[in-house]
Amino acid sequence: STASSFSFSFSETFSTLTGSGGAISLQTNSGNIVLTNSDLDSFSLSSSFADEAVIAGSGGTIDLSARGGTIAGNNSTLNSFAVSDLGASGNGGTVTLEAGDRISGLTINTVAAGSLSGDVQINGSSNLLIERTNILTAQQIELCLFSACPPDASTIFNLGAR
């Protein structure tokens, strides 16, 4: 599958509460997912007006699955964030990536202005190589280097508030 340009599902409003981002899913069982300079956007964005506080909803979900292949981002961005100009928001969304052997060339953004950043889950079905991929989140990252992570076998890195 090849996607270019922009794919999005988002909520933006000028009222006191916005909705949440929607769901974006690309899946293949035997091929590759190739994005080129693309944005996959599933976010909530709000702007205040007339001195009235506006609360953003939560980021949506983005799911890319190429079980037997690769995910090649080629300088693409996955946005699943929740942002309000006054800082009040729901949680960042969840981004899940699953590939056979390689994930590359992506920037993933799950930051929330006033709540918890979203989860980023990366799964590989063989020797997975992750290269040229940036994850923008906050609070903590949990890392497990096992194919099926047993309880208490992961390492948690506390990054602090942003």
Side-chain angles (χ1 to χ4, degrees):
S1 300
T2 300
S4 60
S5 188
F6 299 96
S7 298
F8 58 89
S9 172
F10 71 94
S11 177
E12 179 180 25
T13 188
F14 293 97
S15 67
T16 58
L17 179 64
T18 65
S20 295
I24 297 173
S25 179
L26 300 174
Q27 298 180 347
T28 178
N29 288 324
S30 60
N32 300 321
I33 295 175
V34 179
L35 308 169
T36 302
N37 295 317
S38 299
D39 291 335
L40 296 182
D41 295 326
S42 181
F43 59 83
S44 181
L45 174 67
S46 68
S47 300
S48 60
F49 67 99
D51 296 326
E52 189 170 347
V54 181
I55 300 171
S58 295
T61 60
I62 298 175
D63 178 19
L64 304 182
S65 178
R67 290 190 177 127
T70 65
I71 298 173
N74 301 310
N75 298 314
S76 295
T77 303
L78 309 179
N79 286 309
S80 183
F81 58 82
V83 176
S84 169
D85 61 350
L86 296 179
S89 73
N91 295 335
T94 298
V95 174
T96 303
L97 305 175
E98 181 176 8
D101 60 2
R102 179 176 291 197
I103 296 172
S104 65
L106 293 170
T107 296
I108 303 164
N109 182 358
T110 66
V111 173
S115 196
L116 299 175
S117 292
D119 293 333
V120 177
Q121 301 169 1
I122 299 176
N123 303 307
S125 57
S126 64
N127 292 328
L128 181 65
L129 172 65
I130 302 169
E131 60 182 354
R132 296 182 325 274
T133 297
N134 298 307
I135 300 173
L136 307 174
T137 188
Q139 303 304 321
Q140 78 182 199
I141 296 174
E142 184 172 354
L143 177 64
C144 182
L145 300 177
F146 300 99
S147 60
C149 198
D152 301 323
S154 61
T155 302
I156 296 176
F157 299 93
N158 289 309
L159 303 177
R162 292 231 281 172

